[in-house]
Amino acid sequence: MVPNRLVITVSDPAALAMAAADRMVARIAANADRVAICLTGGSSPKTLYALLATDACRNRIPWDRVHWFIGDERFVEAQDPLNNMGAARRSFLDRCAPASNIHPIATDSADPDESARRYENELKSFYGADMLDPARPLFDMLLLGVGPDGHIASLFPGYPAIEETTRWVTGVPKAHVEPFVPRVTLTLPALNSCREMLFEVSGADKHAILTRVLAGENLPANRAQSSSETVWLVDEAALAGAAS
Ligand code: 6PG
């Protein structure tokens, strides 16, 4: 069950964001063509997103050829503070990326499943095929955080969505942790289709779940793995816990 991953420890959240930004810039540089990056929600990527908007980072990214997707969305209006892509837009995308390169999960559908179908169609059309080819990953880089129950994106432990093998995106009627709003999430086949999967794990409150993940427990976080490179960027507080 323990995936093949590289664990990199950094001192604090600022160093973690810097390391993530450097890896993102390198991933973009490695593909001279159109680049696809899948962002994540929650609080973990917020320092990184703010960093990407600074001149130092901003000038290192060829914005016109980078496309931005989101791994999961809370089924709330685009302007709602809980909306994951909304948070990324406010932090950096709206200032830096062409609007046509931003690919949010629409939440104005009748229900999360309808939104999931729409996003799956958008992903398939961007990818140019209905079937994922392991030799040609969907994303150049995919960011993830890990929840207190070991969930990733909105794939919660014990929920049917984690077992999905066909759909690329699915609706999740009820969340397992806060915020308790329905979700729309990419499934494991779509999340795992990336050249680099990059986890950001920071702070003492992540220590308990990080310990369980690194022990190889059967958790969604241990079922997410790129076929080429899976990296866990963790800071010292997450690794050592509050007692350090
Ligand atoms: C969401 C997520 C979710 C998140 C983890 C970690 O919509 O909440 O995308 O999977 O990444 O729960 O959340 P934190 O970064 O807030 O700890």
Side-chain angles (χ1 to χ4, degrees), residues 93-109:
L93 287 176
D94 282 347
R95 259 169 294 160
C96 303
S100 54
N101 290 11
I102 305 173
H103 303 266
I105 293 177
T107 52
D108 57 355
S109 313

Side-chain angles (χ1 to χ4, degrees), residues 40-44 72 74 84 145-147 151-153 183 206:
T40 185
S43 56
S44 301
D72 76 313
R74 288 95 178 257
N84 284 336
V146 60
H151 78 260
I152 43 127
R183 313 288 185 98
K206 294 285 181 193

Side-chain angles (χ1 to χ4, degrees), residues 135-205:
R136 187 170 70 86
L138 176 56
F139 302 114
D140 291 271
M141 175 176 261
L142 178 117
L143 300 179
L144 284 176
V146 60
D149 54 355
H151 78 260
I152 43 127
S154 287
L155 296 177
F156 300 104
Y159 278 35
I162 185 72
E163 305 302 340
E164 180 60 51
T165 54
T166 312
R167 299 281 309 274
W168 295 18
V169 190
T170 187
V172 178
K174 198 162 170 255
H176 188 236
V177 297
E178 285 185 344
F180 293 104
V181 292
R183 313 288 185 98
V184 181
T185 186
L186 269 62
T187 59
L188 278 180
L191 294 171
N192 287 345
S193 181
C194 60
R195 293 188 194 281
E196 177 171 342
M197 179 178 285
L198 183 65
F199 281 85
E200 285 191 280
V201 187
S202 162
D205 61 343

Side-chain angles (χ1 to χ4, degrees), residues 13-14 16-18 20-21 24 37-55 57-58 61 63 68-73 83-97 141-145 198 200:
L16 193 144
M18 190 66 79
M24 187 181 282
I37 295 187
C38 189
L39 300 170
T40 185
S43 56
S44 301
K46 288 203 164 142
T47 313
L48 168 64
Y49 293 171
L51 184 62
L52 292 173
T54 62
D55 283 348
C57 270
R58 191 177 175 161
I61 296 176
W63 294 94
W68 306 89
F69 296 86
I70 189 85
D72 76 313
E73 192 53 270
N83 189 281
N84 284 336
M85 192 55 123
R89 293 187 85 126
R90 285 188 296 278
S91 315
F92 75 105
L93 287 176
D94 282 347
R95 259 169 294 160
C96 303
M141 175 176 261
L142 178 117
L143 300 179
L144 284 176
L198 183 65
E200 285 191 280

